[in-house]
Amino acid sequence: IVVATNAVWNDISIFLNGAISKNALHVFVYNGRHGIKKALNLITNEDANTCMALSDPMVLSNESGNSTDSSYDSECSLPKKKFVFTFTPSEWLQMQPEQVLFKCNDPARPMRSSRSYYVLPKGCWTSLLAEHFWEHTNLPCCLSFRNGKVYNGGNIYVVVIGRCSICNSHFKGIVENKPSVNSRVLMKCTYIGNFNERHETTKKRRLIGPAMDKALTAIINNNISCETFREIEANRLMKL
């Protein structure tokens, strides 16, 4: 499949409020899914019928169908937890999306020198989510958050994806609506995987961002050692 280099795919994605990426749009049309080529008058009725027949689940091989079903059943059979993070106004202020400008070097748009995006502030939100995760689950999982996307004009506002680096359980958190100023924020979370199994190894999260600043301030101002600070933090977390 040819890469979606034409700027029109990006324009359509923006028109749809980022609900689907430009690459996904290109693949969707290129493969003629759901009769899109016929709807756009790109193919004849005969070709459309052929495409629909090829995409009909009834003509797919049993092997392919069984593979898909088994994969779906395997995912559904895994343990699942659902919970809701409640961020205070001060916590949300720490992790709320911020606007970032990127230089645009697209030859198809020579008049456009930059473009703005909304992103979660780097290094400021992962430790906060990890603490809320422990408060709700008390699981020994070491979550690694790899993806946090902001859809400023989409159907949902923020989506965060994470994974336990030990048991490979998957975390997904969603903030559905853009919150108002000085209000509590709810993040609906789902955690799926073998998190109930024994974690043979123990991993610790690195201190970054505000968590590191908090640790340094406590150590310097209170004149305590790193070991003492860890003990204080461990006792605090165990009481959550």
Side-chain angles (χ1 to χ4, degrees):
I1 299 176
V2 181
V3 180
T5 56
N6 197 305
V8 69
W9 302 109
N10 189 56
D11 293 338
I12 298 175
S13 178
I14 295 175
F15 179 78
L16 297 175
N17 294 326
I20 182 171
S21 67
K22 64 176 184 179
N23 291 330
L25 276 168
H26 179 259
V27 173
F28 186 87
V29 176
Y30 185 90
N31 290 336
R33 295 174 181 171
H34 299 284
I36 185 64
K37 290 187 177 181
K38 180 181 178 182
L40 297 175
N41 293 324
L42 298 178
I43 58 176
T44 63
N45 290 335
E46 182 179 353
D47 293 335
N49 293 333
T50 302
C51 292
M52 293 298 292
L54 291 175
S55 62
D56 191 343
M58 296 300 294
V59 301
L60 296 177
S61 65
N62 292 331
E63 180 180 356
S64 176
N66 293 336
S67 175
T68 303
D69 293 341
S70 61
S71 176
Y72 177 78
D73 293 340
S74 176
E75 181 177 349
C76 290
S77 64
L78 291 174
K80 178 188 296 186
K81 283 182 177 289
K82 289 188 176 182
F83 41 90
V84 179
F85 292 166
T86 302
F87 301 113
T88 63
S90 59
E91 288 177 333
W92 179 249
L93 184 64
Q94 174 182 322
M95 63 172 291
Q96 69 178 351
E98 58 185 13
Q99 189 176 21
V100 178
L101 290 176
F102 291 90
K103 290 184 178 180
C104 183
N105 297 321
D106 189 354
R109 297 181 175 183
M111 301 300 295
R112 190 172 187 177
S113 59
S114 63
R115 184 180 178 184
S116 63
Y117 295 86
Y118 282 88
V119 297
L120 296 177
K122 186 177 181 180
C124 296
W125 55 277
T126 55
S127 299
L128 184 60
L129 262 62
E131 184 168 321
H132 276 273
F133 176 81
W134 165 257
E135 180 180 356
H136 283 78
T137 65
N138 284 342
L139 291 172
C141 296
C142 181
L143 288 185
S144 175
F145 299 100
R146 298 293 184 184
N147 198 356
K149 291 189 176 182
V150 181
Y151 304 95
N152 196 44
N155 296 327
I156 54 178
Y157 186 45
V158 175
V159 178
V160 175
I161 303 297
R163 182 181 65 86
C164 175
S165 55
I166 303 174
C167 66
N168 290 323
S169 298
H170 292 275
F171 171 90
K172 184 176 184 179
I174 296 177
V175 177
E176 294 183 341
N177 302 311
K178 186 175 182 179
S180 56
V181 180
N182 294 327
S183 64
R184 292 180 177 270
V185 180
L186 302 180
M187 175 178 282
K188 297 181 179 179
C189 306
T190 305
Y191 195 50
I192 302 176
N194 297 314
F195 46 79
N196 289 324
E197 295 183 356
R198 178 181 175 83
H199 289 55
E200 299 297 337
T201 59
T202 302
K203 291 187 178 181
K204 299 179 181 179
R205 290 185 52 83
R206 291 190 306 113
L207 286 178
I208 58 175
M212 178 179 287
D213 296 337
K214 175 184 176 182
L216 291 175
T217 301
I219 291 172
I220 295 174
N221 293 346
N222 299 330
N223 194 25
I224 60 177
S225 64
C226 297
E227 291 77 9
T228 302
F229 175 79
R230 283 199 294 267
E231 291 178 1
I232 295 174
E233 278 296 288
N235 291 330
R236 181 183 69 84
L237 292 174
M238 292 302 294
K239 294 178 181 179
L240 289 178

